[in-house]
Amino acid sequence: MNVLVIGGGGREHALVWKLKQSDLVNALLCAPGNAGIQEEATCFPVSPSDISGLLTLARERSVDMVVVGPEAPLVAGIIDRFAEAGIVAIGPTQSAARLEGSKAFAKEILKYSGAPTAEFEVFDEPGDALHALEGKAYPLVVKADGLAAGKGVLIVRDREEAEAAVRTIMVERAFGEAGSRIVLESFLEGEEASFIVLTDGETILPLASSQDHKRIHDGDQGPNTGGMGAYSPAPVVDEALHERIMKTVIEPVVETMNRRGTPFLGILYAGLMISDDIPYVLEFNVRMGDPETQPILFRMHGDLAETFNLLHYRQLHKARVSWPSDAALCVILASKGYPGIYEKGKVITGLEELTGRRDVKVFHAGTKKNAEGKIVTNGGRVLGVTALGPDLPTCREKAYLAVESIHFEGMVYRKDIGLRGIQRLSASQ
Ligand code: AMP
Ligand code: GLY
């Protein structure tokens, strides 16, 4: 098979790395890719938002299967376009991708499915939303309905902040069209976990659990980012909770999507808040997480290309993948200033020391080769240093040791990735 991966972040580097190991894959292509992906696949400068350009590329290169990394093309209907063209593309149709494309839609599906989620109200008019703020309990969560690159969720402490948030989203349209509708949601406390499954609408194949670290600073301080590190498995998701997530969230939601006539085929990611052992759904994504994909795939055994192919042909029950009882952890190295303004073009050194290791892999995100062939920074999240070990403390130590050999000007990273998981493990012993 010729396989095209769409995207250019750390998640896509991990997908490319894993797909490359498959005997079924002949040529591996990526659009647009990055400096790390370039080492493992042929990259083409086509943007993930240019669906027509991607179709042309896929036809020209006789692509047999397309794997879509980011959400925007899925929500824009890329899967439907490729299906019309007769090319296998992994992911939900546009109508099923609304689970991520509209938070109000996701909440309706959750409510209908009886899945645990925070109390909510949806508004189309700023006046109505402002009026509803009267008598609300604080903190309160104010969410833009549509895609906002992870920035459309504002947690407010009082009514004044809530009014400002409604205005920012609905009147000033800080997140554009995403803010034409708003969701007000009660604030939940607990521990977050990412629960990602593959499904063909019938069989549900849960991937290993994981935990992201969304805030920029240690101790979960500062603004939200795309994710500053992740590990897998997440000790908070023990066997009983895993079962509860499948029974109360994933299975009913997949069933509801079938019943509506919009079956969900692809990757379904539930962002959960675990509170008193109840898995409340904060959001759905219809793609792999970034950086969760890096540790999940680094420790996965099995053929990813075969698994995706089975998913597409609704034969997922035949998939043979497993996660032996080891752990993996990924530390994101970012550019100073991220998630705000940052500089690009800083030369990265020390990568070669880590190549060829079986237990450590540096997945590239915002990197490119400059005119002199040097690898330089090209984004907010730059690298994901990922290590495998028999347990969480060991892979954590390995990952941070590897981080020490890498340098670029303005490199920042969290020092506490995995600590919460380790604390939970020692508390349960
Ligand atoms: P979302 O994009 O909906 O997952 O929201 C982004 C982040 O905001 C989540 O990962 C949580 O950290 C936080 N968040 C979202 N909804 C809630 C909620 N109802 N209660 C507490 N925190 C929330
Ligand atoms: N790491 C969070 C996400 O991929 O949405």
Side-chain angles (χ1 to χ4, degrees), residues 100 103 107 117-119 139-144 149-155 184-190 192 212 214-215 224-225 269-273 280-285 287:
E100 179 164 2
K103 290 191 188 288
K107 294 296 274 192
T117 191
E119 294 288 325
L140 179 74
V141 188
V142 183
K143 298 184 172 184
K151 298 188 185 125
V153 175
L154 305 172
I155 296 172
L184 299 183
E185 193 175 293
S186 58
F187 178 80
L188 297 170
E189 265 173 293
E192 286 186 56
D212 187 11
K214 287 216 165 75
R215 305 296 190 100
N224 262 338
T225 69
Y269 163 148
L272 303 169
M273 182 71 87
Y280 291 92
V281 179
L282 296 180
E283 65 164 345
F284 280 120
N285 297 317
R287 46 153 179 98

Side-chain angles (χ1 to χ4, degrees), residues 47-56 72-74 76-79 81-82:
S47 159
S49 60
D50 178 7
I51 298 182
S52 301
L54 293 166
L55 257 178
T56 306
L74 292 166
I78 191 170
I79 298 300
R81 293 280 298 279
F82 273 89

Side-chain angles (χ1 to χ4, degrees), residues 25-258:
V25 176
N26 299 324
L28 199 48
L29 297 76
C30 188
N34 58 37
I37 295 177
Q38 251 173 45
E39 302 287 318
E40 326 206 18
T42 314
C43 293
F44 298 86
V46 184
S47 159
S49 60
D50 178 7
I51 298 182
S52 301
L54 293 166
L55 257 178
T56 306
L57 172 68
R59 285 205 184 100
E60 280 173 7
R61 300 279 158 172
S62 307
V63 164
D64 302 292
M65 182 198 281
V66 180
V67 177
V68 186
E71 62 276 15
L74 292 166
V75 172
I78 191 170
I79 298 300
D80 311 61
R81 293 280 298 279
F82 273 89
E84 280 158 25
I87 300 172
V88 173
I90 307 305
T93 58
Q94 189 167 25
S95 18
R98 287 185 75 204
L99 275 180
E100 179 164 2
S102 164
K103 290 191 188 288
F105 176 80
K107 294 296 274 192
E108 290 302 331
I109 295 292
L110 284 162
K111 197 166 119 184
Y112 188 82
S113 308
T117 191
E119 294 288 325
F120 71 102
E121 283 179 282
V122 179
F123 298 95
D124 290 311
E125 296 296 335
D128 295 342
L130 290 169
H131 187 68
L133 293 175
E134 205 176 299
K136 284 267 184 267
Y138 293 90
L140 179 74
V141 188
V142 183
K143 298 184 172 184
D145 178 54
L147 291 186
K151 298 188 185 125
V153 175
L154 305 172
I155 296 172
V156 295
R157 284 169 299 185
D158 53 38
R159 182 153 172 195
E160 202 177 319
E161 278 187 15
E163 287 180 1
V166 170
R167 290 206 174 89
T168 303
I169 294 174
M170 295 195 94
V171 182
E172 292 157 28
R173 291 291 170 97
F175 312 110
E177 267 307 288
S180 58
R181 182 174 263 197
I182 209 166
V183 179
L184 299 183
E185 193 175 293
S186 58
F187 178 80
L188 297 170
E189 265 173 293
E191 184 168 347
E192 286 186 56
S194 307
F195 196 85
I196 307 176
V197 305
L198 304 183
T199 179
D200 57 7
E202 199 157 313
T203 301
I204 297 169
L205 176 69
L207 308 184
S209 64
S210 56
Q211 195 171 67
D212 187 11
H213 297 63
K214 287 216 165 75
R215 305 296 190 100
I216 183 74
H217 299 307
D218 285 9
D220 294 330
Q221 300 297 312
N224 262 338
T225 69
M228 292 300 291
Y231 57 88
S232 170
V236 64
V237 183
D238 59 18
E239 227 170 280
L241 186 59
H242 177 108
E243 194 61 22
R244 202 167 311 138
I245 295 167
M246 288 294 283
K247 290 278 173 256
T248 65
V249 175
I250 307 289
E251 289 173 12
V253 165
V254 167
E255 186 47 39
T256 300
M257 293 301 279
N258 281 334

Side-chain angles (χ1 to χ4, degrees), residues 231 235 392-394 396 417-427:
Y231 57 88
L392 196 50
T394 315
R396 180 172 192 274
I417 304 301
L419 278 189
R420 192 189 270 226
I422 291 173
Q423 277 159 9
R424 189 173 277 276
L425 286 176
S426 36

